[in-house]
Amino acid sequence: MSEATPLSSPLELSERDAAILDFEDSWFTSAVPKEQAIMEHFSLSSARYYQQLNQLIDSSEALAYKPLLVKRLRRMRRQRQAARSARRLQR
């Protein structure tokens, strides 16, 4: 007999990670401020949410799940980092 294949691949996102990406893709439709929506949906502080989001967008699983969103978030992060570096050099 052959072994059964696992139902889920180790490269799949957890439900929470998928929910974070889905939220990030559509939070602007919410009637409440983003920080409040983060607390309501995930019971996380904004700082902790962004820490998790930044770790998440570095994963290939997130890129496979929502490629346009992840690429946009990575690009925006690089731009913010470049702006911070430029400000430091001007001092």
Side-chain angles (χ1 to χ4, degrees), residues 3-12:
E3 290 185 33
T5 20
L7 294 176
S8 65
S9 164
L11 297 177
E12 290 182 9

Side-chain angles (χ1 to χ4, degrees), residues 9-63:
S9 164
L11 297 177
E12 290 182 9
L13 288 175
S14 69
E15 285 185 33
R16 184 174 180 97
D17 289 346
I20 288 173
L21 291 173
D22 291 338
F23 174 81
E24 192 62 29
D25 207 17
S26 64
W27 67 266
F28 47 86
T29 61
S30 177
V32 297
K34 187 174 183 182
E35 289 74 23
Q36 182 180 345
I38 289 168
M39 183 56 76
E40 290 171 1
H41 283 85
F42 304 108
S43 300
L44 294 172
S45 68
S46 294
R48 185 68 186 131
Y49 169 82
Y50 286 114
Q51 287 172 344
Q52 289 185 2
L53 178 62
N54 273 307
Q55 288 178 336
L56 182 57
I57 65 174
D58 286 333
S59 74
S60 57
E61 296 84 7
L63 183 61

Side-chain angles (χ1 to χ4, degrees), residues 69-82:
L69 173 69
V70 170
K71 287 177 184 179
R72 179 171 51 87
L73 293 173
R74 287 177 179 179
R75 184 181 65 247
M76 291 169 58
R77 180 175 62 186
R78 279 193 310 270
Q79 290 170 344
R80 285 191 306 271
Q81 288 170 339

